[in-house]
């Protein structure tokens, strides 16, 4: 596979974001009352269960993250269209995500609903802003699409024996593995640092923010000029 021309599509940044994705889901589910930050299908399912039982307040506990996730997607699109200036628009969304999660870590347990909403807002911003790694459509906040793509590429390799498909499959499986590592890290940190542990995601996102100052496209052009 060729090296990504943009840092926002690089494997390095994808690793950081997948760690954050796994961490956030474990944080909200284990630490904030059984709500998914990323897996909105699960939240919609649980909301439907509680609606069927007539427990509307509890259903809202699961619907709010879905709404906030949707708002996060829309906010990223607005930043892309209107607010990018000196910084790349994806840098702005990463910085906003880091600040949001820093605030989440300050919220006590009695404000879990707000914390889950804000965490899902950050997830929505991430899933909309970063949709590719090395030109391949890959999500850093969920796994089902990555799993489907990984297996499809493995099938294509079995049929055609083209190594490119196998490399793509390993890329998708690798992102899933990093997501799991983020979940392991998140659960470990929750057990030791409590609800403030989400601040580790803020640190990782700040690292991603500074990584994106590297102009990968300029490096590629300079490399090409030197050949």
């Amino acid at each position: 596979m060729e090296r990504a021309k943009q840092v926002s599509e690089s494997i390095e940044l994808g690793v950081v974001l997948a760690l954050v994705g796994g961490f956030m889901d474990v944080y909200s589910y284990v630490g904030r009352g059984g709500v998914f930050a990323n897996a909105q299908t699960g939240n919609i399912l649980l909301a439907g269960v509680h609606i069927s039982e007539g427990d509307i307040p509890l259903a809202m506990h699961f619907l709010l993250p879905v709404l906030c996730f949707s708002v996060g997607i829309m906010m990223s699109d607005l930043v892309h269209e209107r607010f990018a200036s000196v910084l790349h628009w994806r840098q702005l969304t990463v910085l906003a995500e880091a600040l949001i999660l820093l605030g989440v870590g300050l919220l006590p347990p009695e404000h879990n609903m707000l914390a889950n909403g804000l965490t899902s807002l950050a997830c929505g911003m991430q899933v909309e802003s970063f949709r590719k790694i090395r030109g391949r459509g890959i999500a850093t906040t969920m796994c089902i699409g990555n799993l489907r793509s990984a297996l499809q590429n493995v099938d294509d390799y079995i049929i055609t024996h083209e190594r490119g498909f196998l490399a793509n499959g390993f890329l998708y499986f690798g992102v899933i593995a990093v997501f799991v590592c983020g979940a392991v890290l998140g659960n470990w940190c929750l057990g030791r640092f409590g609800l403030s542990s989400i601040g580790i995601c803020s640190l990782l996102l700040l690292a991603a923010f500074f990584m994106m100052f590297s102009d990968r496209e300029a490096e590629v052009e300079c490399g090409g000029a030197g050949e």
Side-chain angles (χ1 to χ4, degrees), residues 25-84:
D25 234 5
V26 163
Y27 177 83
S28 63
Y29 188 82
V30 176
R32 293 289 189 175
V35 174
F36 294 104
N38 298 320
Q40 301 307 324
T41 301
N43 290 333
I44 293 170
L45 173 66
L46 292 170
V49 169
H50 294 298
I51 289 173
S52 72
E53 295 172 349
D55 194 342
I56 303 302
L58 189 54
M60 287 304 300
H61 185 71
F62 293 97
L63 282 177
L64 179 64
V66 178
L67 296 175
C68 290
F69 186 88
S70 303
V71 171
I73 292 173
M74 296 176 67
M75 285 179 60
S76 290
D77 286 336
L78 289 173
V79 170
H80 184 195
E81 294 297 329
R82 297 184 180 276
F83 298 108

